[in-house]
Amino acid sequence: MSRATAQPAVSYERRSFWRASLPPAPDRRGRELPARTDVVVIGGGYTGLSAALHLARAGTAVTLLEAHAIGWGASSRNGGMVHGGLRWGRRVLVRRYGRDLGERLHAASLEAFDVFEGLVADEAIDCDYRRDGQLVLAWSRRDAEGFSAEVASLAEDGLAARVVRGAELQAEIGTDAYEVGLLEERAGGVHPGKLVAGLAERASAAGADLHATLPATRLERLGGRIRVATPRGSVEADEVVLATNGYTGGLLPWVRARVIPIGSYIVVTEPLEPAVAASISPRGRTFFDTKNFLYYWRLTPDGRLLFGGRASFAPTSVDRTARILVRAMRRVHPQVRDARITHAWGGRVGFTFDRLPHIGRRDGVTYALGYCGSGVCMATYFGKVVGGMLTRGPGRPAERSPFEQIPHPGAPLPALYRGDPWFLPVAGELFRLQDRLARRR
Ligand SMILES: Cc1cc2nc3c(=O)[nH]c(=O)nc-3n(C[C@H](O)[C@H](O)[C@H](O)COP(=O)(O)OP(=O)(O)OC[C@H]3O[C@@H](n4cnc5c(N)ncnc54)[C@H](O)[C@@H]3O)c2cc1C
């Protein structure tokens, strides 16, 4: 039996450490639903809460419906790694969408980081945010070779980045598992649970009407308005925002067929001896590697090691993914071999077929989703954009967001995908093979 399998299966809590480390949230269950409002937001994560906050600040009446606890989805389960940018850089975006739109998409993806930092500062959200930089670790020689072009491209935007190896790499991370890294200064870490709690508190204080454990079950067009049904009655609104990302259900089948929910999983250790924690990340960087079955990891604000990864594309259990991640964590950082795991959990990220997030309108509903696993900044930013779009009067932006202007593709054969990602186990095996081959080369 391997050491990882020897880890007692019942010794950890099977829930997000972030949620477990928060004081109890205000009870937002069972509150009376208004008959009418200006905007209904469906989904109480970063996207929905940020939209609600910006709408309420602009004087718009907004009611937010969350099927579970506020922040129950990915927003209180993620790694808390904060970075701007998209999967595709400027060159790819310009090639795909033309110079004007490509440049505007790229600029907006960078702006997302500023908006995130600005929001945390302006709203004084206590969420342990620190801008300590991130280190991307090359899984293959090819990935390492691509880093120089990446540095040049970041430099075009005035962003500090450099390739690190040898002693310089050892000064950034305590591992022998990788040989080359790309260090980016404009990135950081946050306590995701505190962020979601802070956004909820600010949105509520600004006048947003937040409802927990109240799912939207049906949407009905009534002329220019929409009736949103819930198990406790319905509410009519001029506008509806769908902010459900990896938890998107059947309210809008067209949108559901454009989001692929994929599992991502995390384990967290007990607090480490300060010297051990410092040996892992001497400068407080966050880390992730470049493979398909990526690992991402960082120290938590109280000095634990958080280690996450895709672990499995097939339906699985938290115990199984925890075993996979603990094995990987010990390979990368043998210094935590004996650390106890205190929490293990998983959540859903929302992928799209073009690996870009999207804002759009369908059947009179505005949606914002598809962050492809990088949504801390982007979802918060999209909430602001959508809030601006639906604000009446002077607060409304003059220009449409570039994310509204790009096509939102579904599956190449639409009949084959309506929201149930049956193909993921097969895709997962292909990705795993690609990772192995890339490393061997
Ligand atoms: C394990 C994990 C690690 C991650 N790590 C990172 C990271 O380090 N950095 C990063 O940038 N991103 C990360 N992400 C991605 C990031 O967390 C998400 O992109 C982001 O939280 C999306 O926010 P959201 O508000 O759009 O969706 P969510 O936070 O998922 O919220 C959607 C909400 O909609 C609700 N809902 C669904 N249907 C209905 C309905 N009918 N009625 C009412 N409510 C409904 C759900 O209950 C859910 O709470 C990670 C994600 C996961 C799962």
Side-chain angles (χ1 to χ4, degrees), residues 181-197:
L182 170 67
L183 188 61
E184 295 179 47
E185 299 290 349
R186 196 168 177 263
V190 72
H191 185 309
K194 286 189 178 178
L195 175 62
V196 94

Side-chain angles (χ1 to χ4, degrees), residues 271-338:
L272 303 171
E273 290 295 328
V276 176
S279 79
I280 291 171
S281 184
R283 298 188 169 125
R285 312 290 196 195
T286 59
F287 307 116
F288 58 92
D289 71 16
T290 54
K291 60 180 161 10
N292 291 314
F293 270 80
L294 94 163
Y295 302 144
Y296 48 89
W297 65 107
R298 58 172 286 204
L299 297 172
T300 61
D302 64 346
R304 300 158 187 264
L305 179 59
L306 173 151
F307 197 91
R310 215 124 281 159
S312 171
F313 276 69
T316 186
S317 70
V318 164
D319 288 335
R320 180 166 171 272
T321 53
R323 281 197 297 274
I324 294 171
L325 291 172
V326 168
R327 263 199 304 269
M329 179 184 80
R330 289 175 176 166
R331 253 195 324 268
V332 177
H333 288 297
Q335 56 271 62
V336 294
R337 173 161 293 282
D338 298 321

Side-chain angles (χ1 to χ4, degrees), residues 38 45 148 160 198 212 215 225 291 357 373 426 430 433 439:
D38 295 338
S148 307
R225 297 173 66 80
K291 60 180 161 10
V426 181
L430 286 176
L433 183 66
R439 186 72 158 188

Side-chain angles (χ1 to χ4, degrees), residues 45-47 66-68 73-75 78-79 81 216 244 296 349 371 373 375-376:
Y46 302 143
T47 309
E66 164 54 54
H68 301 273
S75 296
N78 61 73
M81 297 165 66
T244 49
Y296 48 89
V349 301
Y371 309 106
V376 176

Side-chain angles (χ1 to χ4, degrees), residues 14-328:
R14 290 170 185 78
R15 67 167 175 152
S16 160
F17 162 72
W18 306 118
R19 189 166 274 287
S21 63
L22 280 181
D27 191 354
R28 297 193 166 96
R29 295 169 299 172
R31 301 182 53 247
E32 199 180 329
L33 202 58
R36 292 175 70 110
T37 186
D38 295 338
V39 180
V40 166
V41 175
I42 302 173
Y46 302 143
T47 309
L49 290 168
S50 168
L53 170 61
H54 285 97
L55 283 162
R57 284 259 184 274
T60 306
V62 52
T63 289
L64 180 146
L65 306 177
E66 164 54 54
H68 301 273
I70 297 291
W72 174 88
S75 296
S76 65
R77 301 166 187 244
N78 61 73
M81 297 165 66
V82 177
H83 42 235
L86 294 167
R87 172 75 178 83
W88 313 113
R90 163 186 278 135
R91 256 173 286 282
V92 175
L93 295 171
V94 166
R95 196 171 59 234
R96 273 197 199 169
Y97 303 109
R99 178 144 309 276
D100 177 55
L101 198 50
E103 289 285 354
R104 285 175 57 222
L105 281 167
H106 179 66
S109 77
L110 300 180
E111 187 195 356
F113 185 83
D114 297 326
V115 165
F116 172 86
E117 283 197 333
L119 187 70
V120 168
D122 295 347
E123 297 288 340
I125 296 179
D126 168 19
C127 57
D128 301 330
Y129 174 63
R130 288 176 62 112
R131 191 206 275 211
D132 284 332
Q134 74 182 13
L135 185 65
V136 187
L137 293 142
W139 172 248
S140 67
R141 185 166 303 155
R142 195 161 155 207
D143 294 339
E145 285 162 6
F147 281 169
S148 307
E150 189 71 13
V151 169
S153 154
L154 289 162
E156 282 174 26
D157 294 311
L159 302 179
R162 64 199 158 89
V163 179
V164 287
R165 55 182 93 224
E168 256 197 305
L169 184 66
Q170 299 294 317
E172 297 292 349
I173 184 169
T175 181
D176 294 328
Y178 301 88
E179 290 173 8
V180 187
L182 170 67
L183 188 61
E184 295 179 47
E185 299 290 349
R186 196 168 177 263
V190 72
H191 185 309
K194 286 189 178 178
L195 175 62
V196 94
L199 283 171
E201 192 277 320
R202 294 299 188 272
S204 177
D209 171 38
L210 309 184
H211 297 259
T213 59
L214 193 58
T217 51
R218 202 157 50 84
L219 304 175
E220 192 186 340
R221 291 288 285 271
L222 304 167
R225 297 173 66 80
I226 299 182
R227 181 185 292 149
V228 183
T230 80
R232 287 199 291 104
S234 60
V235 47
E236 277 181 38
D238 295 329
E239 299 284 354
V240 171
V241 175
L242 188 72
T244 49
N245 201 39
Y247 296 88
T248 298
L251 288 173
L252 287 179
W254 187 91
V255 175
R256 186 186 203 178
R258 278 157 182 77
V259 189
I260 311 158
I262 297 185
S264 193
Y265 304 89
I266 292 181
V267 292
V268 163
T269 68
E270 62 190 331
L272 303 171
E273 290 295 328
V276 176
S279 79
I280 291 171
S281 184
R283 298 188 169 125
R285 312 290 196 195
T286 59
F287 307 116
F288 58 92
D289 71 16
T290 54
K291 60 180 161 10
N292 291 314
F293 270 80
L294 94 163
Y295 302 144
Y296 48 89
W297 65 107
R298 58 172 286 204
L299 297 172
T300 61
D302 64 346
R304 300 158 187 264
L305 179 59
L306 173 151
F307 197 91
R310 215 124 281 159
S312 171
F313 276 69
T316 186
S317 70
V318 164
D319 288 335
R320 180 166 171 272
T321 53
R323 281 197 297 274
I324 294 171
L325 291 172
V326 168
R327 263 199 304 269

